[in-house]
Amino acid sequence: MSITDIKTVAIAGAGTMGALIAQTFASHGYTVVLWNRSEAGLARGRSIMAENLDTVPPAERDAVPSIITMTTDPACFRDADFVLESIAEDLEVKKAFYRQLEPLLKETCLVSTNTSGLSITALAEAFASPERFCGMHWINPANLIPLIEVISGEATAPETAQTVYALAEALEKKPIRVKDVPGFALNRLQFAVLREALHMVETGAASMEDVDKAMKYGLGLRYACIGPFETADLGG
């Protein structure tokens, strides 16, 4: 499957991430189905999208909710060209869901998970066709943060990862390719900073407030424009 073959997208999980991911796909013209196991979850998803429609271009605000079908019926996955799972961050819960999901899918349907750190290779063990599966990690808030991590597990077909990468670009996101390592890329960087921040406060080098200010008014602003390798190159 190529990017041009993806017309209908099914999102599994109507929480904060799933709802805003569905909104993002809908605002870019995709037919979107948002599935949740309960009606209460769907109601929560509607509320989340309603609160965030100000991020959608004004001309599209009325159209976006109307083109998202919300359902608790798993039959909705039968017509999907692409499925993105964003349910509970639990390895066994996700694998059980995949085992129920895969028999419903078209042979050409690709599947991704929005996990922020679970092993893609381990999750893929639930699939009879693991080559169609990869990670597509969105960053909260999903409708605003440009970064998407596309993670390949050991069994992920290169074509699958490339199509998901291209799909992220079609959504005007900034995707990166990452191998299936613990924490992927963003969280490894984030926790490296947090470890040093905690050490500085613990040793009395700076207060929590001043460490936060160093990030907000210094590194944070600079890294929004140039990354650490670009910074090193610029400084010589």
Side-chain angles (χ1 to χ4, degrees):
M1 175 172 286
S2 70
I3 181 66
T4 57
D5 298 317
I6 297 177
K7 308 294 183 185
T8 300
V9 174
I11 309 297
T16 301
M17 293 298 289
L20 295 181
I21 290 169
Q23 177 182 298
T24 303
F25 272 103
S27 69
H28 286 79
Y30 290 90
T31 299
V32 180
V33 177
L34 181 58
W35 174 89
N36 201 82
R37 65 179 180 177
S38 70
E39 289 291 347
L42 293 178
R44 179 186 60 203
R46 289 189 189 94
S47 177
I48 291 168
M49 286 188 285
E51 293 173 2
N52 287 274
L53 277 175
D54 57 349
T55 63
V56 176
E60 301 173 13
R61 285 177 192 167
D62 293 337
V64 165
S66 66
I67 60 177
I68 298 176
T69 301
M70 307 185 77
T71 183
T72 59
D73 185 355
C76 69
F77 296 111
R78 295 186 187 278
D79 295 325
D81 302 311
F82 177 72
V83 173
L84 178 63
E85 168 272 308
S86 187
I87 64 172
E89 192 73 346
D90 181 286
L91 183 72
E92 295 307 320
V93 170
K94 288 183 186 292
K95 290 173 78 169
F97 172 73
Y98 299 153
R99 294 187 187 103
Q100 296 173 347
L101 171 71
E102 190 173 23
L104 302 174
L105 302 179
K106 298 187 293 187
E107 290 184 1
T108 55
C109 182
L110 301 183
V111 185
S112 280
T113 175
N114 185 46
T115 182
S116 60
L118 295 177
S119 168
I120 304 303
T121 299
L123 288 170
E125 293 172 357
F127 286 92
S129 301
E131 66 276 2
R132 70 161 80 185
F133 177 73
C134 73
M136 188 185 195
H137 178 215
W138 298 56
I139 316 303
N140 192 26
N143 57 325
L144 298 179
I145 302 297
L147 180 69
I148 286 180
E149 295 181 301
V150 178
I151 308 103
S152 293
E154 292 179 4
T156 301
E159 297 80 7
T160 296
Q162 180 53 41
T163 298
V164 173
Y165 187 97
L167 183 59
E169 290 184 316
L171 297 170
E172 301 178 272
K173 295 294 189 177
K174 299 294 184 183
I176 62 172
R177 297 177 178 87
V178 190
K179 289 186 177 181
D180 188 20
V181 295
F184 310 144
L186 181 138
N187 278 326
R188 290 178 76 99
L189 292 169
Q190 181 170 252
F191 280 103
V193 170
L194 180 59
R195 284 195 302 271
E196 184 59 28
L198 290 168
H199 179 68
M200 291 181 69
V201 173
E202 184 179 44
T203 58
S207 68
M208 287 188 290
E209 293 78 11
D210 284 340
V211 170
D212 279 348
K213 284 181 180 179
M215 288 299 300
K216 290 191 292 185
Y217 308 128
L219 283 177
L221 289 174
R222 184 165 71 189
Y223 283 166
C225 302
I226 56 176
F229 288 113
E230 291 171 317
T231 297
D233 183 62
L234 181 65

